[in-house]
Amino acid sequence: MITSKIISNGILRALATILIIGIVLYFLYEIQTVIVYLCISLILCLISNPLVLFLKNKLKFKDSLAATTAIVIFILLMVGFILLFVPLIISQANNLSLLDTKQLQSQFMETEQSIETYFNIQHFDLNKVLRDSKVTSMLNFSYFTGFINSILNFMADMGMGLVSVFFITFFFIKDQDDFKSTARKLLPDSNEDKILNSITKINHMLTRYFIGLLLQLTVVFILYLIVLMIFGNENAFVIAFLCAVLNIIPYIGPIIGTTLAALLTMISLIGQDFRSEILPTTIYVVIGFLLVQAIDNNISQPIISSKSVNSHPLEIFLITLISGITFGIVGMIIAVPLFTMIKVILKEFFPDNKIISVLTERI
């Protein structure tokens, strides 16, 4: 017989459960940066596994030496990636030093007048509008100081993040066998096979994902390079490589890459006529990049999402969107690998759950 005491206890248990879940979610939200570091370190560990196995099995490296070698290689790749853009920065700085602002303003005004005449647009004086609205008097130039401080804080956070990620990755690589054995001890013996199966499937699927992603970036890089070389960009290789790397960021990366390519193209053409050279070339480059993105969005990405991680494109979009809102750009980058890992684990441990079986039916 159901009594008021049983109902009250049930309500209290439900409230307690909701409270505990809320506290856990709030705690996870507060340590989201640490979670992101752990996820990035885990991904780097998975990427380095083939190299580590080669060093340990073929060259007889010890765990610490193999882990150190992998970390050093990651650092060298990062440094090499940064140094790759030094010639580009020097070249663009030289182009900017040749900039004739008066000539550029004159060409821009002529182009503006041509557009207004062609589309029959009424001209308005931007300077007069700004004076009448008194916008300049309301500007707070302390924002510039805040902007500089935010850049310095970002660089400090980035440095701390890199040190943390490499430190965590070192121990993930070095002690991964110990972590696996510890996990087996913590969980019941009946789940040992499930753990091993989950690890095997995760390694297999993420390896396919990263290979597919590398192939996608290579295709995008080649197409970007062709577009830039057609229009004679002197830094075509570096710009194409940078824009291809930005393509790792889902949805936002291609937009940033196209904008960056347009700006760098305009800077590289400084000194030439704005109407007949700079503007048309920039427009052609943007159109070329948009065509490359159309090819990538309709061919490369669907292949990766459907074949590599066996997820529907809508799933990928929603998970990426949620991760981006919660964890920012880094969350968008790690969303697909992390989501794949969670799906594999859920399917292995809860295969009879209806919701999980629907979400993981492609795996």
Side-chain angles (χ1 to χ4, degrees):
M1 180 178 179
I2 300 177
T3 62
S4 59
K5 184 177 181 180
I6 295 175
I7 295 175
S8 300
N9 290 335
I11 294 174
L12 290 175
R13 281 196 297 269
L15 291 175
T17 302
I18 294 173
L19 180 62
I20 292 172
I21 293 174
I23 292 173
V24 171
L25 292 177
Y26 177 76
F27 176 73
L28 293 176
Y29 176 78
E30 288 294 319
I31 64 167
Q32 57 179 301
T33 304
V34 178
I35 295 174
V36 171
Y37 290 165
L38 290 172
C39 293
I40 296 175
S41 298
L42 183 59
I43 292 172
L44 291 178
C45 179
L46 291 172
I47 294 174
S48 65
N49 265 341
L51 172 63
V52 173
L53 291 175
F54 173 79
L55 294 175
K56 291 165 66 175
N57 296 333
K58 299 296 184 180
L59 303 181
K60 305 303 179 182
F61 280 24
K62 293 183 178 180
D63 292 341
S64 298
L65 183 57
T68 303
T69 304
I71 296 298
V72 169
I73 290 175
F74 280 132
I75 294 175
L76 290 176
L77 288 174
M78 185 183 68
V79 173
F81 176 78
I82 295 173
L83 293 178
L84 181 65
F85 299 102
V86 172
L88 174 64
I89 295 172
I90 295 174
S91 173
Q92 301 307 317
N94 290 333
N95 289 330
L96 286 174
S97 66
L98 301 174
L99 177 62
D100 186 345
T101 55
K102 291 183 179 180
Q103 181 184 4
L104 182 63
Q105 182 180 7
S106 175
Q107 293 176 352
F108 180 79
M109 294 297 295
E110 291 177 7
T111 304
E112 180 187 3
Q113 291 173 2
S114 300
I115 294 174
E116 290 172 354
T117 303
Y118 183 81
F119 291 101
N120 195 23
I121 301 173
Q122 184 178 0
H123 176 73
F124 68 95
D125 190 347
L126 182 60
N127 292 327
K128 185 177 183 300
V129 172
L130 290 175
R131 285 196 303 269
D132 294 341
S133 62
K134 299 180 180 179
V135 172
T136 54
S137 64
M138 295 184 290
L139 290 176
N140 185 356
F141 290 97
S142 63
Y143 286 127
F144 291 102
T145 304
F147 178 70
I148 298 298
N149 289 334
S150 64
I151 291 178
L152 294 176
N153 291 333
F154 172 78
M155 293 177 64
D157 292 340
M158 180 65 72
M160 182 55 128
L162 288 174
V163 172
S164 301
V165 166
F166 286 134
F167 184 79
I168 297 171
T169 304
F170 172 80
F171 287 102
F172 273 4
I173 297 173
K174 174 179 173 292
D175 300 325
Q176 56 182 310
D177 293 333
D178 294 336
F179 290 147
K180 292 176 185 178
S181 61
T182 302
R184 292 172 188 168
K185 293 177 182 178
L186 292 175
L187 294 173
D189 294 337
S190 57
N191 292 324
E192 184 172 340
D193 292 337
K194 295 180 180 179
I195 296 172
L196 294 175
N197 290 336
S198 298
I199 294 173
T200 302
K201 288 182 180 178
I202 288 172
N203 280 330
H204 176 65
M205 295 190 70
L206 289 185
T207 300
R208 289 199 306 171
Y209 171 75
F210 288 120
I211 291 175
L213 183 61
L214 181 61
L215 178 61
Q216 176 197 356
L217 296 182
T218 302
V219 172
V220 170
F221 164 71
I222 293 173
L223 294 177
Y224 280 163
L225 183 61
I226 291 173
V227 171
L228 292 170
M229 290 181 67
I230 288 175
F231 298 105
N233 195 302
E234 58 183 13
N235 296 298
F237 182 89
V238 179
I239 296 175
F241 182 78
L242 176 60
C243 294
V245 171
L246 287 172
N247 217 59
I248 294 176
I249 307 173
Y251 311 113
I252 297 177
I255 298 174
I256 299 174
T258 302
T259 305
L260 183 63
L263 291 174
L264 293 176
T265 299
M266 294 182 70
I267 294 174
S268 66
L269 294 174
I270 284 177
Q272 302 185 30
D273 186 72
F274 182 80
R275 294 176 58 185
S276 62
E277 295 292 338
I278 298 178
L279 185 60
T281 304
T282 304
I283 292 174
Y284 294 147
V285 168
V286 170
I287 292 174
F289 271 53
L290 293 177
L291 290 174
V292 173
Q293 291 167 21
I295 295 172
D296 179 52
N297 292 333
N298 291 285
I299 298 177
S300 303
Q301 287 186 1
I303 291 176
I304 289 178
S305 61
S306 61
K307 299 293 179 65
S308 300
V309 296
N310 296 330
S311 295
H312 193 276
L314 181 59
E315 266 184 285
I316 301 297
F317 174 77
L318 292 176
I319 292 299
T320 304
L321 182 63
I322 294 171
S323 300
I325 293 173
T326 307
F327 299 108
I329 291 179
V330 177
M332 297 179 71
I333 296 174
I334 67 173
V336 175
L338 184 60
F339 179 59
T340 302
M341 294 168 61
I342 293 173
K343 284 177 65 175
V344 170
I345 293 171
L346 290 177
K347 182 171 185 178
E348 198 64 39
F349 282 87
F350 308 102
D352 299 327
N353 185 283
K354 292 184 178 179
I355 297 177
I356 293 174
S357 62
V358 171
L359 291 175
T360 60
E361 62 182 353
R362 291 170 174 257
I363 297 180

